[in-house]
Structures are given as C-alpha cells and as structure tokens.
C-alpha cells in the first residue's frame, strides 16, 4: 500500500452567498427554486431508475433531457449517463479499438485518463494546449492508426484556461481524426448564452463527440454525451459503464432538465456569472495576481502544499471557503488555491476575497 496523504471528506461548505468559493455550482442552479421543484416533483413518483437503461431503468425524463441537450449543443443525438466520469469512460473505452490512437492533452481530467487506460487503443500525450505539437504527432503517427481520437477539455478544471477549439477542429479535419471534448466546466459558463466552448458551431458531428457533466453549472448530477445518431447507437450497445450501471436517478434527471431549459430560455443567471467573473479577474489583477476572465475557475499557484493549506485555512477563518488543491489533483510543486466564482456571489464578497488573498499569500509565502 502507498502512504496515505491527508485528504479527507468532511468539510461542510456553506452556499455561495455565504462564502463558498470552491464548488462548481457556477450558476447557483443546484438550489434554484425551479430546479429543486422539478427534482422534488420527480421524487414524488420515484427516486431510483430501478435498473440499467437497457432493462427497466429507461424513463421518459431521460429522453426529454437528451432532447434538451441536443437543442443546447446543436447535436443530432445525446445520451445521458449516471455521471461525467461514466461519460468519459464510456466514450473512450468503447469507441476506440486496438488499432486506433488516442491523442490526449497532458492536463486532461482523471476520468479521461481512466477512459484511455480502459481503451485498447494506444495513447499519445501532447503538451497542454500545444496544437503545433499535436499536429506534429498526428503527422508522425496518424497513418498507422485505423481511427484517431483527439481528446481535450473545453475548460481545464485546475487551470481555468480554454482549449484552442478552432485550431483543434482544424487539426482534426486535416488529419481525419475525431475530436472528443469534455466541456464539464464550459457548459453554462462559456460560449453564446452558456452553450459551452463548442456546440452549435460544430459542422461535422460524424467526427465530433461533446461530453460533460450535469453536476456543475447544470446544478444536478449525471453526465451526457452529445454526438451523431450512429455514435449514440454504438454507445448504447457497447459502452459498458452505460450498460452495466443503473440509469440516472429520476430527480437528478428532472432537475437537470429544468436547468437546461432555463439555459435555453435565457432564464439562467449567465450574464450575472459573466459580470462576476470579469469583476473578480480585475480585482485579482489589481492585487498582483495573473488572472483572466476566460472561465469561472481562478487558480492561484502557491507551489508548496503547506502554503496552499495555510492560506486556505486563513481564508476559511474569515468566512471564505476556497479549495487547496494538492497532488495528485495537480503535479508536485504546483499546489494551489482553486477559487471558483458563481452567479450567486455579490460584488463585495468578490472584492473582499481578492484583497484577502493578496494579503494572506504575501504573509505565508
Ligand atoms: N470531467 C471533468 C473535466 C471534471 O472536472 C469532472 C468532475 N470533477 C468530471 C469529468 C466528472 O464529472 P462527474 O463529477 O459528473 O463524474
């Protein structure tokens, strides 16, 4: 057994309006009246799906949620699965075969890495967001693979930066590869009306798979895969995490459906989130940190684990709950604060936190 790091569950964090700067509830929808009502109404009928969706666990709400996701992303088809983790593992383990290649960004999320591990294809890792290196690797290796998959995130969960989507689409087109983009942190946060870093502008759904989670800006639980009809059919029949796991719980599906409807209607607080993100980026900059308003995730790199823990703890005593992220979530020597902004935050909270981070980081570094 390896030595145990001091990670533990158990910090009960209050809601954003009272100091939560570590959750991924970017739009505050997990406690929105419409989302809660929809989930509660579904729960009066049943909670669990009762089985795999291939057996008794397929319910009308799953199909309605898939239709709404197709509308949000502009995709011909969608498949809802029990989590974002399931989505990555399903796609990567079932769409690829032993004569294929996966080109994977070096900062991809653990669920993507695990999907690559479960795939029979060989993985080639390229430096984070370096499309020139990706193109060089595609030029070198593409010809010997049956199919090639380029796997990226729309917004990187620990960096908060965006994938260079247009360049990636171009490279995939040039080298006849499928682009698989995990927009877990982009949906509801980026793109026109919060539709994500990629979606309605996709031209070639035969060679694009967009996936993500319903547990962040959508405020519920579950995962989704937006793709062509043919890819969906294939996943339904071959994706083991989909086949052998119980379907998404009905209140979670109904809550997510309501949240997606709010995004489609323009009723979600997307503009407020964008204003908050821009305001916080400006105040972090004013306090001497690098920051841009690309996403709702703001990393403050402190290098040493202890410094990250001490600063996070000092902020907590002042009522600001901020994540101290350490290995294995980030590489050794790159421990950091991970601050997330929500539409529920108020201006004064954002200004005070930026100032306090400035003071505490100077004191502890
Ligand atoms: N992909 C990314 C980029 C994530 O950040 C996460 C969650 N941390 C997931 C997938 C997994 O999503 P879920 O929590 O729904 O399993």
């Amino acid at each position: 057994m390896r030595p145990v790091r001091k990670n533990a569950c158990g910090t009960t964090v209050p809601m954003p309006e009272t100091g939560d700067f570590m959750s991924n509830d970017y739009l505050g929808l997990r406690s929105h009246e419409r989302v809660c009502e929809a989930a509660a109404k579904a729960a009066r009928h049943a909670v669990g799906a009762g089985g795999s969706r291939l057996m008794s666990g397929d319910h009308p709400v799953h199909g309605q949620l898939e239709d709404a996701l197709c509308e949000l992303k502009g995709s011909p088809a969608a498949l809802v699965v029990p989590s974002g983790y399931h989505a990555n593992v399903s796609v990567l383990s079932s769409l690829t075969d032993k004569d294929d290649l996966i080109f994977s960004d070096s900062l991809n999320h653990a669920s993507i890495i695990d999907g690559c591990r479960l795939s029979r294809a060989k993985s080639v890792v390229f430096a984070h967001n370096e499309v020139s290196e990706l193109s060089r690797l595609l030029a070198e290796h593409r010809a010997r693979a049956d199919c090639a998959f380029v796997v990226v995130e729309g917004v990187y969960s620990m960096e908060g930066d965006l994938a260079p989507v247009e360049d990636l689409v171009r490279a995939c087109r040039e080298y006849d590869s499928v682009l698989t983009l995990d927009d877990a942190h982009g949906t509801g946060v980026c793109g026109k009306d919060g539709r994500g870093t990629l979606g309605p502008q996709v031209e070639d759904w035969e060679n694009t798979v967009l996936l993500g989670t319903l547990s962040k800006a959508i405020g519920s639980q579950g995962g989704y895969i937006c793709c062509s009809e043919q890819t969906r059919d294939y996943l339904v029949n071959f994706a083991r995490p989909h086949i052998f796991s119980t379907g998404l719980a009905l209140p979670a599906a109904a809550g997510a459906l309501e949240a997606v409807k709010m995004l489609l209607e323009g009723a979600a607080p997307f503009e407020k989130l964008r204003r908050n993100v821009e305001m916080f980026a400006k105040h972090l900059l004013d306090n001497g940190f690098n920051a841009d308003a690309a996403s709702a995730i703001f990393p403050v790199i402190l290098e040493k684990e202890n410094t990250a823990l001490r600063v996070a703890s000092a902020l907590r005593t002042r009522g600001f709950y901020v994540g101290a992220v350490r290995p294995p979530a980030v590489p050794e020597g790159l421990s950091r604060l991970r601050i997330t902004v929500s539409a529920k935050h108020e201006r004064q909270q954002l200004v005070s936190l930026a100032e306090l981070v400035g003071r505490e980081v100077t004191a502890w570094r």
Side-chain angles (χ1 to χ4, degrees):
M1 286 248 282
R2 285 173 289 173
V4 177
R5 230 170 238 284
K6 286 202 185 62
N7 278 321
C9 302
T11 312
T12 305
V13 176
M15 299 301 265
E17 52 274 41
T18 46
D20 174 8
F21 286 83
M22 63 203 291
S23 93
N24 301 309
D25 181 20
Y26 302 118
L27 291 169
L29 294 187
R30 79 189 166 109
S31 54
H32 193 283
E33 200 186 338
R34 273 182 66 173
V35 175
C36 294
E37 271 299 312
K41 197 166 159 216
R44 281 197 282 277
H45 168 62
V47 174
S52 161
R53 288 187 65 193
L54 270 63
M55 299 294 280
S56 61
D58 197 45
H59 296 267
V61 67
H62 294 133
Q64 290 157 12
L65 177 54
E66 286 167 355
D67 290 346
L69 286 161
C70 286
E71 199 179 334
L72 189 74
K73 300 288 182 181
S75 63
L79 180 67
V80 164
V81 292
S83 74
Y85 200 103
H86 279 73
N88 274 315
V89 173
S90 295
V91 164
L92 294 166
S93 67
S94 69
L95 296 187
T96 60
D97 213 337
K98 67 174 176 22
D99 295 322
D100 299 339
L101 281 177
I102 299 173
F103 294 84
S104 176
D105 187 284
S106 62
L107 293 189
N108 274 339
H109 186 258
S111 56
I112 297 179
I113 296 169
D114 291 356
C116 293
R117 286 177 179 161
L118 277 174
S119 159
R120 295 196 298 160
K122 191 168 176 294
S123 296
V124 179
V125 175
F126 63 93
H128 175 54
N129 272 350
E130 291 293 337
V131 183
S132 53
E133 184 181 321
L134 169 66
S135 298
R136 186 179 58 70
L137 290 166
L138 283 164
E140 197 179 326
H141 301 290
R142 173 69 186 91
R144 71 180 163 85
D146 270 1
C147 297
F149 293 79
V150 172
V151 186
V152 298
E153 292 180 32
V155 173
Y156 284 84
S157 55
M158 294 298 147
E159 309 298 315
D161 60 347
L162 307 192
V165 171
E166 283 178 19
D167 294 344
L168 289 162
V169 169
R170 219 171 291 125
C172 286
R173 198 177 303 137
E174 187 176 349
Y175 291 98
D176 184 24
S177 304
V178 178
L179 179 63
T180 299
L181 184 136
D182 176 350
D183 220 4
H185 298 274
T187 301
V189 176
C190 297
K192 190 173 175 315
D193 307 326
R195 286 171 189 244
T197 56
L198 186 60
Q201 70 273 44
V202 172
E203 287 171 6
D204 178 9
W205 280 102
E206 295 308 313
N207 287 304
T208 308
V209 177
L210 289 189
L211 55 89
T213 177
L214 301 166
S215 69
K216 301 191 194 296
I218 303 299
S220 182
Q221 187 120 22
Y224 64 86
I225 302 159
C226 287
C227 54
S228 67
E229 297 276 6
Q230 196 190 5
T231 302
R232 185 185 188 278
D233 279 351
Y234 193 87
L235 289 167
V236 166
N237 289 288
F238 292 101
R240 293 168 64 85
H242 170 68
I243 298 168
F244 295 107
S245 196
T246 297
L248 181 63
L250 308 188
L257 173 60
E258 196 63 23
V260 175
K261 279 187 188 163
M262 288 177 70
L263 268 175
L264 288 168
E265 289 164 12
F270 173 66
E271 294 303 332
K272 168 104 188 282
L273 173 63
R274 292 309 316 173
R275 280 199 301 279
N276 278 356
V277 159
E278 269 155 39
M279 188 198 313
F280 191 60
K282 177 187 170 306
H283 285 280
L284 271 187
L285 278 171
D286 290 349
N287 284 281
F289 299 98
N290 274 334
D292 72 36
S295 74
I297 301 166
F298 292 86
V300 175
I301 311 289
L302 297 171
E303 296 169 6
K304 294 193 191 119
E305 286 189 55
N306 266 349
T307 317
L309 287 170
R310 282 183 180 138
V311 175
S313 154
L315 296 174
R316 190 169 310 155
T317 60
R318 307 288 296 271
F320 293 98
Y321 289 76
V322 161
V325 184
R326 302 167 289 146
V330 291
E332 290 292 342
L334 287 178
S335 289
R336 65 194 64 187
L337 302 180
R338 178 179 181 273
I339 303 173
T340 53
V341 169
S342 158
K344 282 200 143 184
H345 292 134
E346 293 306 332
R347 180 190 158 78
Q348 195 47 51
Q349 287 179 292
L350 294 162
V351 175
S352 305
L353 177 59
E355 285 169 1
L356 199 56
V357 170
R359 278 208 300 280
E360 293 297 340
V361 168
T362 312
W364 289 104
R365 197 147 47 188

